[in-house]
Amino acid sequence: MKAVTVAPGTAASLRLQDVPEPDASHGSVVVETLAVGICGTDVEIADGGYGWAPPGRDRLVLGHESLGRVVDPGPSDLVAGEHVVGIVRRPDPVPCPHCAVGEWDMCSNGGYTERGIKGVDGFMSERWRVEPDYAVRVDKDLGILGVLLEPTTVVTKAWEHIAAIGLRAFWDPRTVLIVGAGPIGLLAALVAAQHDADVHVLDRVSSGRKPDLVQRLGGTYHTGTMADLGLAPDELVHGAMEAVAPAGVVCLTGVGSASTPGTPSQAMPATDVVLKNAVVLGSVNANRRHYHRAARILAAADRAWLDQLITRQVRPDEAAQAVRRAPDDIKAVVRFADT
Ligand SMILES: [Zn+2]
């Protein structure tokens, strides 16, 4: 079968090639790929800056934002024809206390693996296998939009953790400010809107579909300030700490690009954190619970709105184009088959 592979650590190594059928060790459920989304992590892997091939191999099948159709459910309770998404992370084999209770997104020893990222083949192949427990059903009516499930899990988890921290004190959140209107930012705006928050999104782009997408959620779109959204994470944290209300929570879901050379890094504003009783947290990945919640969020969302998030669809032989970002891209998707 055909697969899009990379040699982790080597830039511009991405290619479409013939690979063996998916290994039975990956699970008893056989899935036909419909689409695979591209995110910043894929771009970084394709640039040689991240990623690990499976043990004993040089190349890794790319892709962790999956959507597929069950071909052979094996002994699972899935049904052929259902649409599923594969969970990305697998618990470490020890396991650590987090992985032992299914919270592998919080793995404390770093021994986890991730499909398409760390030590296990991803989903950017014509077929893939998955363990029944790691296949999440998605509403078939979503069609191609089911490929947005995995990025939605990232914001679902972040929202859950923010709410958990909020409960340390009187918690009646009103205003949510999201910095950056990429796919994660816009999906975060969707989640916040579904929780009846007053949603504000800040991005450097002033035209195109991003302002409209935020307004259609009932939110307010802003441009400029917050160090004009310089990609240096330190500056963003500093700006967020200045802007956050007392008892507020600042959640970082991405580390952005490296600081612009020559940009002085600002110290963590400890005074703001202390005097505002504020919390800064980081959030990455998701566990099974977040996939199920994310599936509900997508099912409840306006399909026409979700449809606007997918700005580009390419064929597998054009995958190298999908990892080169166009300025007005929101989400690029490699399309394998019709839904
Ligand atoms: Zn672990």
Side-chain angles (χ1 to χ4, degrees):
M1 64 174 180
K2 299 284 185 201
V4 175
T5 69
V6 291
T10 305
S13 65
L14 184 149
R15 65 170 185 248
L16 184 68
Q17 65 172 120
D18 287 308
V19 299
E21 287 293 322
D23 196 272
S25 67
H26 287 177
S28 54
V29 182
V30 181
V31 179
E32 172 198 15
T33 304
L34 298 171
V36 183
I38 300 280
C39 81
T41 301
D42 299 304
V43 174
E44 218 180 321
I45 294 171
D47 285 345
Y50 199 68
W52 295 263
R57 299 224 325 252
D58 297 330
R59 299 189 72 84
L60 169 77
V61 175
L62 191 64
H64 60 277
E65 297 185 1
S66 62
L67 174 68
R69 180 161 45 216
V70 175
V71 175
D72 178 0
S76 72
D77 62 357
L78 291 162
V79 176
E82 280 189 303
H83 287 189
V84 290
V85 165
I87 293 177
V88 176
R89 195 175 280 195
R90 296 293 176 279
D92 77 77
V94 173
C96 77
H98 292 106
C99 287
V101 297
E103 302 210 338
W104 51 72
D105 55 316
M106 305 297 287
C107 181
S108 49
N109 66 17
Y112 61 84
T113 52
E114 290 176 330
R115 301 281 309 247
I117 302 172
K118 186 171 183 277
V120 197
D121 280 332
F123 303 107
M124 217 178 278
S125 50
E126 289 178 284
R127 284 167 291 284
W128 39 272
R129 280 177 173 266
V130 65
E131 311 88 329
D133 283 353
Y134 291 83
V136 179
R137 284 188 181 89
V138 273
D139 190 343
K140 207 171 171 177
D141 290 343
L142 281 168
I144 181 87
L145 300 173
V147 79
L148 297 171
L149 184 73
E150 196 278 339
T152 306
T153 68
V154 172
V155 293
T156 305
K157 174 195 171 175
W159 186 271
E160 183 190 271
H161 282 223
I162 291 165
I165 292 165
L167 289 173
R168 75 201 158 126
F170 176 73
W171 178 241
D172 185 21
R174 292 265 177 252
T175 305
V176 175
L177 170 63
I178 292 150
V179 179
I184 293 293
L186 290 166
L187 288 168
L190 171 69
V191 171
Q194 287 190 1
H195 285 85
D196 295 323
D198 180 15
V199 178
H200 296 261
V201 178
L202 174 64
D203 195 286
R204 73 181 74 199
V205 175
S206 56
S207 59
R209 58 177 80 178
K210 289 178 177 181
D212 179 54
L213 280 164
V214 173
Q215 279 148 22
R216 281 163 66 184
L217 292 172
T220 311
Y221 190 87
H222 307 266
T223 55
T225 69
M226 199 151 324
D228 276 336
L229 296 186
L231 284 173
D234 291 344
E235 286 174 31
L236 282 180
V237 174
H238 193 269
M241 288 314 306
E242 283 183 345
V244 72
V249 181
V250 174
C251 179
L252 311 171
T253 58
V255 291
S257 304
S259 299
T260 312
T263 305
S265 173
Q266 286 165 318
M268 268 294 287
T271 307
D272 278 339
V273 177
V274 173
L275 296 183
K276 285 182 171 176
N277 282 298
V279 172
V280 182
L281 80 142
S283 184
V284 70
N285 198 255
N287 66 42
R288 187 177 290 120
R289 177 174 76 249
H290 306 124
Y291 279 78
H292 289 288
R293 288 195 177 154
R296 288 191 184 184
I297 287 162
L298 286 189
D302 176 44
R303 303 293 155 89
W305 187 89
L306 290 174
D307 200 47
Q308 290 287 305
L309 297 187
I310 298 178
T311 43
R312 207 149 52 102
Q313 296 189 36
V314 304
R315 299 190 311 263
D317 63 337
E318 301 168 323
Q321 295 171 27
V323 296
R324 282 195 296 273
R325 276 185 177 154
D328 50 354
D329 263 350
I330 297 176
K331 174 62 71 184
V333 163
V334 179
R335 185 75 180 251
F336 279 78
D338 289 334
T339 54

